[in-house]
Amino acid sequence: MHELHRDNLNSGYQLPLYYGDDRLLLMLRDPYWLFSYWELTGRTLNYFRQKFHHFGWDGSIPMIRVFRFPTHLSALEQPEITFDVELEHRADNWYLNAGMPNRTYYVELGRKLPGGEFIPILRSNFVTTPRDSVSDIIDEEWRLFDLQQKIYRRMALYHLSSEELIQKGVDPEELKSTCTDEHFISLFYKID
Amino acid sequence: MPKGYLCMVLHAHLPYVRHPEHEFSLEEKWLYEGITETYLPLIKEISQLIEEGVDFRLTISLSPTLVSMLGDKFLQDRYINHLEKLIELAEKEIQRTKFDSAFNPLARMYLDRFQESYYLFKEKYQKNILRAFKDFQETGHVELITCGATHGYFPFIGLHREAIYAQAVAAIDLHTRTFGKAPRGFWIPECAYNPGDEEILKDLGIKYFFTETHGITYASPRPKYGVYTPILCPSEIAVFGRDPESTKQVWSRTEGYPGDFYYRDFYRDIGYDLDFNYIKPYIHPDGIRIHTGLKYYRITGKSLDKEPYQPEIAREKTAEHAGNFMFNREKQVEWLSGLVGPPPLIVAPYDAELFGHWWYEGPSWIGLLLRKMAFDQDIVKTITPSEYLELNHPLQVSTPCASSWGNKGYHEVWLNGTNDWTYRHLHKATERMIELADSYPRCEGYQKKALNQAARELLLAQASDWQFIMNAGTMVDYAVNRFKDHISRFTKLYDDIKGNKIDPNWVDRLYGADNIFPHLDYRIFRSFKETTLVEKPELERI
């Protein structure tokens, strides 16, 4: 029994304090709030400290810059808005009041130099906030569930009897990937 | 022809808790109480319904962690010990209350129930109650579906798509092995949906899943019939949204049925009420008072003064509430059928453990409701999601909105100051697991065992229960320690595998403790970039 003791099973390991990676992650809490956590290695910080030493790096303030886009953003699109959030020096995570549902965001973690310039160090992944109301898009498209599509696919293969299909090693019930036939279905089923 | 349908879904889940290293584990009691108070009473009700020839349908989601525990020999034997102690306690209670006309019949009621549970568990189902669910499925009355392998919170672990794939594929594999049939439906843990996650499920042969109400009402384009017909994701997987009205009638703290003053009170328990020396053998071995399961009072009212429980009156209330629920569904369907083109569907999902464990009369309520619905009216018929889809009504194409069924409807329960620290570890461990799976495409012996164990430890760390418990604020230490244990064990496995210094004895001991998913293949974590879904043809053949 004692061999299964918790500490014995963990074999001296504990939760790592850090992983030695530069990492900035953005997560979604709700339509209005995002959460970000990060790890910055000493190596990276030293690089920036040396590079911006003469611009007052040691007096700089950690900051997150939030970039907001319409949901279907393309690579060339300009953000609708950016805004900055000043951080506490020792923070390694922050809740961000992004303020707007149905938008795509990413953030940059960096430092604001005493002269006001923002020096980005890490850029995060993208996150899209959900809607908090009904969609304005009311276009209707109706489709048959694949169970029914199977019936029509079977009809499309009417020249083969079920027995012939079975002989060929095909389960007549499972004709999912045999043809793509949206137009075929629409001939049979007119939605009002 | 009915005018509409009711789809009742019970989601049964408990986190994987198994502690052979302790003589007594308080957290293992979650499973034992679940078996005695929820799973066996539900099995009893469903069996009776089938025997009586009642035409009913019920959808049950059995989480893979729960399935694993119910099938585990060590826990089965410990449950029998637990039940034997309960029977001993109930026998003592009959003696103690010999001259008490209010409590003595209750002590007898508990003894009868425990003895019946003992017979069902040990004799009828040979310690494995999963057999009962498999039998129910075969009658066609019950549709069994699965859930994430360890109830991982998809929107947060889904930063790595491989993690969702691994949660889904391990779940579907266990479900298919256990119940002999691949699941058609999937309960996304906590209904926590993120657009795009369904594509992974679809690739694994899943036909439908569920969301919270606003997952559908905020979907885009706007669903014409709200939650009252399923919608179809562009990737062609159907989505069923929760009906708020039937939810409220059962769940609401203030208006819900379980709060009726004649129902049994959950909090008053002889574990707290009786003389310490008398109750000592049946509480925590350290002398900490805990719930025993013998509760003699009814809710009575809002004050702490409680009256003795009277099962006959509670039974009348249960029937009344079943009738009320049915009446409301009839009215709802009559109203909806004038507005909704296809037959309206009311989706009513609940945590299974609400019934019996929390709401003692809950399993009887389900039994009475399903009988009444079958015999007393023909406006609403119960149905499974698969059967509704087979009615072949066209579905509106729309993408659900990110949502969950947690407090406030999004992700805050699983992401706040109590639990946000866990994610940096989960994400890093997942990244490392993907790296391992890609680096070792083939291996044998202890290298393979270590890799499989690493996958197990990661899956166990991913359980959303840990964040949920940290947020809830009770038993927090247990959740924190479990999370730390699995990440620590994973990290050592990662270091050992990478450093080619695997300790075979330790890997064996670890598997002895964390033995979930014996058939797990670590390669389910291979990166999407490096590979195709190799298990897909296997799964589709089943």
Side-chain angles (χ1 to χ4, degrees):
Chain A
M1 274 300 191
H2 69 279
E3 289 214 315
L4 283 172
H5 190 268
R6 184 180 159 218
D7 295 337
N8 190 310
L9 285 173
N10 294 353
S11 193
Y13 267 61
Q14 290 180 340
L15 199 68
L17 291 174
Y18 52 84
Y19 289 100
D21 290 335
D22 290 308
R23 173 183 289 258
L24 172 64
L25 252 296
L26 189 59
M27 294 168 68
L28 167 73
R29 196 187 85 175
D30 57 45
Y32 297 94
W33 285 84
L34 303 170
F35 172 72
S36 179
Y37 74 79
W38 57 89
E39 184 178 327
L40 265 174
T41 59
R43 201 168 64 97
T44 303
L45 276 176
N46 282 338
Y47 167 81
F48 279 91
R49 180 174 291 125
Q50 281 171 19
K51 191 171 174 187
F52 294 100
H53 179 69
H54 297 297
F55 300 92
W57 182 265
D58 288 340
S60 65
I61 298 165
M63 202 165 84
I64 277 182
R65 178 160 289 177
V66 181
F67 296 79
R68 194 178 86 200
F69 299 84
T71 44
H72 297 289
L73 81 167
S74 69
L76 297 173
E77 205 150 353
Q78 288 296 310
E80 285 180 335
I81 188 177
T82 66
F83 61 91
D84 297 337
V85 179
E86 286 188 7
L87 310 171
E88 286 167 20
H89 271 275
R90 294 169 63 100
D92 64 0
N93 68 80
W94 207 264
Y95 285 89
L96 299 160
N97 185 353
M100 197 163 218
N102 200 28
R103 288 291 185 279
T104 296
Y105 297 86
Y106 74 82
V107 299
E108 285 178 348
L109 175 70
R111 290 286 183 102
K112 187 171 79 170
L113 297 175
E117 189 188 356
F118 176 66
I119 308 296
I121 304 173
L122 297 176
R123 183 174 294 175
S124 78
N125 54 314
F126 289 96
V127 161
T128 299
T129 50
R131 266 181 302 282
D132 72 340
S133 58
V134 294
S135 170
D136 295 333
I137 302 166
I138 51 168
D139 304 337
E140 285 179 37
E141 183 198 347
W142 296 78
R143 217 184 280 172
L144 300 171
F145 188 66
D146 93 346
L147 289 165
Q148 191 171 2
Q149 289 185 26
K150 267 191 277 181
I151 296 169
Y152 290 99
R153 282 172 187 156
R154 179 68 191 89
M155 288 167 72
L157 293 171
Y158 65 94
H159 58 285
L160 292 175
S161 71
S162 292
E163 201 181 346
E164 285 171 310
L165 285 172
I166 291 164
Q167 278 169 4
K168 286 177 185 290
V170 181
D171 179 353
E173 289 295 309
E174 293 294 333
L175 287 166
K176 283 183 230 169
S177 53
T178 47
C179 60
T180 52
D181 51 2
E182 294 304 328
H183 67 287
F184 185 80
I185 291 166
S186 62
L187 291 176
F188 278 83
Y189 212 108
K190 182 110 176 75
I191 313 299
D192 47 31
Chain B
M1 273 291 280
K3 283 187 175 173
Y5 296 93
L6 171 69
C7 172
M8 278 193 78
V9 186
L10 302 179
H11 170 54
H13 164 67
L14 288 172
Y16 197 72
V17 176
R18 178 180 177 277
H19 292 291
E21 72 273 30
H22 301 307
E23 292 288 337
F24 176 88
S25 159
L26 188 58
E27 292 78 16
E28 274 177 12
K29 273 189 76 213
W30 297 339
L31 175 69
Y32 309 149
E33 288 172 1
I35 297 173
T36 313
E37 295 167 358
T38 295
Y39 312 134
L40 283 172
L42 279 175
I43 286 170
K44 200 179 120 192
E45 285 294 338
I46 296 169
S47 301
Q48 279 176 0
L49 290 166
I50 293 170
E51 271 171 38
E52 291 167 23
V54 178
D55 183 17
F56 74 97
R57 295 292 184 276
L58 203 53
T59 302
I60 303 179
S61 147
L62 293 164
S63 81
T65 47
L66 178 63
V67 168
S68 300
M69 290 191 290
L70 291 175
D72 183 80
K73 189 173 179 315
F74 171 81
L75 289 171
Q76 290 167 353
D77 289 338
R78 270 206 174 169
Y79 174 68
I80 289 186
N81 292 340
H82 169 87
L83 201 49
E84 282 170 351
K85 297 253 333 190
L86 270 183
I87 289 170
E88 185 185 290
L89 175 60
E91 282 166 344
K92 279 193 188 172
E93 277 297 280
I94 290 173
Q95 285 305 310
R96 188 187 66 83
T97 59
K98 201 160 42 180
F99 302 110
D100 188 326
S101 61
F103 292 152
N104 189 257
L106 293 172
R108 289 182 186 280
M109 175 190 84
Y110 283 114
L111 181 64
D112 285 349
R113 289 212 166 189
F114 296 153
Q115 284 175 333
E116 189 183 23
S117 295
Y118 194 78
Y119 161 75
L120 287 174
F121 190 83
K122 199 174 170 192
E123 307 298 331
K124 186 168 179 190
Y125 295 112
Q126 302 283 304
K127 302 185 196 174
N128 189 343
I129 59 171
L130 296 169
R131 289 160 204 244
F133 292 105
K134 188 169 186 241
D135 292 347
F136 297 154
Q137 174 181 253
E138 278 160 17
T139 67
H141 290 91
V142 172
E143 175 159 0
L144 297 180
I145 63 171
T146 194
C147 175
T150 57
H151 222 252
Y153 199 81
F154 283 13
F156 293 157
I157 63 171
L159 185 78
H160 299 93
R161 312 306 288 159
E162 293 85 350
I164 295 182
Y165 176 75
Q167 282 273 334
V169 87
I172 293 167
D173 178 61
L174 179 78
H175 186 98
T176 310
R177 285 173 194 276
T178 308
F179 301 111
K181 204 174 154 189
R184 298 172 64 81
F186 198 96
W187 181 268
I188 297 183
E190 307 294 0
C191 287
Y193 171 75
N194 186 51
D197 292 354
E198 75 282 3
E199 290 169 18
I200 295 171
L201 302 179
K202 162 79 183 172
D203 279 344
L204 292 168
I206 295 295
K207 305 292 181 197
Y208 66 86
F209 65 98
F210 300 90
T211 67
E212 176 55 288
T213 311
H214 57 283
I216 302 290
T217 51
Y218 298 171
S220 189
R222 189 190 303 174
K224 188 173 177 185
Y225 301 129
V227 292
Y228 298 111
T229 59
I231 61 169
L232 194 63
C233 290
S235 56
E236 304 226 331
I237 179 166
V239 194
F240 293 81
R242 174 153 87 150
D243 166 48
E245 196 181 323
S246 53
T247 296
K248 196 176 165 196
Q249 277 186 296
V250 178
W251 266 127
S252 167
R253 272 177 189 277
T254 46
E255 301 152 59
Y257 303 134
D260 189 280
F261 293 165
Y262 283 94
Y263 283 150
R264 195 194 73 169
D265 186 79
F266 176 81
Y267 297 101
R268 281 292 291 272
D269 186 293
I270 64 167
Y272 295 95
D273 284 353
L274 295 186
D275 174 70
F276 181 74
N277 285 324
Y278 172 83
I279 204 71
K280 194 165 177 279
Y282 308 100
I283 57 173
H284 194 291
D286 295 346
I288 302 161
R289 287 180 178 271
I290 54 173
H291 285 267
T292 62
L294 279 85
K295 302 166 200 279
Y296 292 154
Y297 294 91
R298 63 184 178 89
I299 295 171
T300 313
K302 285 181 179 157
S303 78
L304 290 174
D305 289 330
K306 302 292 175 195
E307 301 281 332
Y309 181 57
Q310 293 168 283
E312 308 75 32
I313 300 178
R315 179 85 183 165
E316 285 167 24
K317 284 283 178 186
T318 313
E320 193 184 301
H321 287 154
N324 178 271
F325 188 87
M326 181 180 79
F327 173 80
N328 280 294
R329 297 296 77 71
E330 286 176 67
K331 294 293 149 208
Q332 201 178 0
V333 160
E334 279 177 348
W335 180 74
L336 285 167
S337 59
L339 302 170
V340 177
L345 174 70
I346 295 164
V347 179
Y350 306 100
D351 272 334
E353 294 76 18
L354 165 76
F355 300 93
H357 178 62
W358 175 252
W359 178 15
Y360 188 62
E361 297 79 5
S364 305
W365 178 82
I366 291 177
L368 289 166
L369 172 67
L370 292 173
R371 283 182 188 87
K372 276 179 185 292
M373 294 213 40
F375 298 123
D376 295 357
Q377 55 86 46
D378 48 18
I379 295 168
V380 194
K381 195 172 176 328
T382 54
I383 196 166
T384 66
S386 286
E387 285 175 327
Y388 188 88
L389 293 172
E390 282 162 15
L391 295 176
N392 286 334
H393 295 287
L395 307 179
Q396 188 176 354
V397 179
S398 177
T399 302
C401 178
S403 49
S404 86
W405 78 344
N407 188 25
K408 300 186 190 172
Y410 296 93
H411 307 319
E412 193 176 342
V413 169
W414 295 271
L415 181 66
N416 58 61
T418 68
N419 53 27
D420 54 23
W421 59 272
T422 57
Y423 293 106
R424 65 178 66 230
H425 302 290
L426 274 182
H427 292 155
K428 185 66 192 177
T430 308
E431 185 185 297
R432 286 176 162 179
M433 190 66 232
I434 295 166
E435 178 201 333
L436 289 175
D438 284 347
S439 308
Y440 301 90
R442 274 189 195 83
C443 58
E444 289 302 325
Y446 272 94
Q447 195 180 40
K448 188 174 178 182
K449 283 189 182 178
L451 283 157
N452 284 335
Q453 195 59 32
R456 260 178 220 115
E457 298 298 338
L458 174 57
L459 287 170
L460 289 168
Q462 283 173 340
S464 62
D465 308 270
W466 312 141
Q467 285 94 6
F468 184 87
I469 295 169
M470 289 172 205
N471 175 69
T474 46
M475 317 281 271
V476 172
D477 287 349
Y478 181 77
V480 168
N481 288 336
R482 280 292 301 274
F483 181 80
K484 288 182 175 175
D485 287 350
H486 295 302
I487 292 288
S488 304
R489 292 167 196 177
F490 172 85
T491 308
K492 178 169 164 54
L493 284 161
Y494 173 80
D495 286 349
D496 288 2
I497 294 163
K498 296 282 283 183
N500 218 359
K501 50 174 183 173
I502 296 162
D503 173 356
N505 288 330
W506 177 67
V507 172
D508 284 340
R509 287 205 305 275
L510 213 48
Y511 180 62
D514 299 333
N515 68 343
I516 196 168
F517 306 127
H519 298 97
L520 189 68
D521 182 338
Y522 67 94
R523 286 172 294 190
I524 60 174
F525 279 99
R526 275 179 303 194
S527 73
F528 280 11
K529 289 194 297 273
E530 305 290 328
T531 185
T532 53
L533 307 184
V534 287
E535 283 83 357
K536 190 178 163 188
E538 291 293 323
L539 282 157
E540 283 191 347
R541 208 174 301 138
I542 294 165

